[in-house]
């Protein structure tokens, strides 16, 4: 009898919402509980861009603060390019980390409307493998990775600061094995591209 009531309850729930909504809800709660990777984007403005905007992406030559994290020098620009190219067909990126003035010059020379200037502000690579444990052997270093990105969206002709954003990410317990802080940044950068077009995350 109990099984019959449980089945009726589940069927009533599925009648109220479709499967994709249930999956989205479950994913949201698993991220919030720390089981899956979680990111939070905090923007300073709600500015929207046209889909045909030409965006040049560059990363500052800044080594992130934090512990045991040594991300590739241009990893944020590379991942931002991969996240933005699906939503903005006209996207280019700098080949190496550059200063802000140099990045603006390169963006203008390329004919870009906007410069997305990124910085890996913080990265904490926690122990996630036996090799890392043998290296560090600190119980307080066990756990999930953390990262913080800072973004500036600048209009290239006027140097007008269109938007700033801070993306804070933490790894999930199902995905922390052999993970690095830079593994956390692709999805939120893609979400940021979506918000610039007015889509929800």
């Amino acid at each position: 009898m109990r099984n019959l009531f449980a089945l009726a309850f589940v069927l009533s729930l599925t009648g109220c919402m479709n499967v994709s909504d249930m999956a989205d809800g479950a994913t949201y709660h698993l991220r919030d509980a720390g089981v899956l990777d979680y990111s939070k984007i905090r923007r300073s403005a709600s500015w929207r861009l046209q889909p045909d905007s030409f965006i040049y992406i560059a990363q500052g030559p800044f080594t992130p603060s934090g512990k045991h994290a040594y991300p590739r020098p241009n990893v944020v620009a590379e991942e931002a390019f991969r996240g933005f190219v699906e939503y903005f067909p006209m996207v280019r990126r700098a080949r190496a980390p550059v200063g802000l003035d140099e990045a603006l010059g390169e963006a203008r020379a390329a004919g870009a409307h906007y410069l997305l200037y990124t910085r890996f502000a913080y990265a904490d690579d926690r122990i996630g493998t036996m090799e890392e444990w043998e290296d560090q052997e600190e119980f307080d270093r066990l756990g999930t990775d953390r990262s913080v990105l800072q973004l500036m969206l600048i209009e290239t002709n006027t140097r007008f600061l269109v938007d700033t954003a801070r993306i804070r990410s933490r790894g999930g317990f199902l995905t922390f094995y052999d993970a690095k802080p830079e593994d956390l940044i692709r999805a939120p950068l893609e979400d940021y591209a979506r918000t610039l077009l007015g889509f929800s995350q």
Side-chain angles (χ1 to χ4, degrees):
M1 194 68 169
R2 247 185 233 164
N3 291 339
L4 184 61
F5 281 122
L7 180 62
F9 179 71
V10 169
L11 288 174
S12 67
L13 283 179
T14 57
C16 297
M17 61 175 59
N18 59 37
V19 176
S20 62
D21 289 341
M22 289 176 62
D24 289 343
T27 302
Y28 170 81
H29 289 296
L30 288 171
R31 285 181 175 156
D32 195 43
V35 178
L36 299 176
D37 296 348
Y38 172 83
S39 297
K40 183 171 185 178
I41 303 171
R42 183 165 291 170
R43 293 182 61 189
S44 66
S46 57
W47 195 278
R48 291 184 184 180
L49 303 185
Q50 296 296 319
D52 61 350
S53 298
F54 184 1
I55 301 173
Y56 190 85
I57 300 171
Q59 179 177 343
F62 178 80
T63 302
S65 61
K67 294 186 177 179
H68 304 283
Y70 310 100
R72 296 190 316 274
N74 209 33
V75 65
V76 181
E78 293 166 7
E79 295 299 328
F81 177 83
R82 291 187 183 107
F84 270 65
V85 75
E86 182 179 346
Y87 301 100
F88 295 94
M90 295 192 292
V91 179
R92 285 185 60 191
R93 71 168 174 84
R95 294 185 180 190
V98 292
L100 179 57
D101 290 333
E102 188 178 348
L104 275 167
E106 289 181 7
R108 282 196 200 100
H113 304 122
Y114 299 96
L115 166 67
L116 179 67
Y117 193 70
T118 65
R119 186 169 89 148
F120 214 142
Y122 175 80
D124 187 2
D125 187 10
R126 301 252 174 167
I127 295 173
T129 62
M130 285 305 296
E131 291 80 9
E132 290 173 345
W133 170 254
E134 289 166 4
D135 266 354
Q136 301 174 42
E137 291 188 359
E138 298 175 45
F139 283 106
D140 62 337
R141 298 289 306 143
L142 289 169
T144 58
D145 298 333
R146 304 280 196 275
S147 72
V148 176
L149 303 181
Q150 293 171 335
L151 313 175
M152 290 192 300
L153 186 67
I154 303 168
E155 197 169 32
T156 54
N157 286 337
T158 62
R159 293 181 68 113
F160 175 70
L161 185 61
V162 173
D163 189 24
T164 61
R166 180 177 182 265
I167 300 175
R168 185 172 49 87
S169 302
R170 73 163 188 260
F173 284 103
L174 287 183
T175 55
F176 84 100
Y177 178 76
D178 201 20
K180 301 288 180 194
E182 54 265 37
D183 298 334
L184 303 171
I185 65 177
R186 168 80 176 278
L189 286 166
E190 188 171 330
D191 285 342
Y192 180 66
R194 288 171 53 82
T195 63
L196 287 175
L197 289 174
F199 299 132
S200 63
Q201 293 180 37

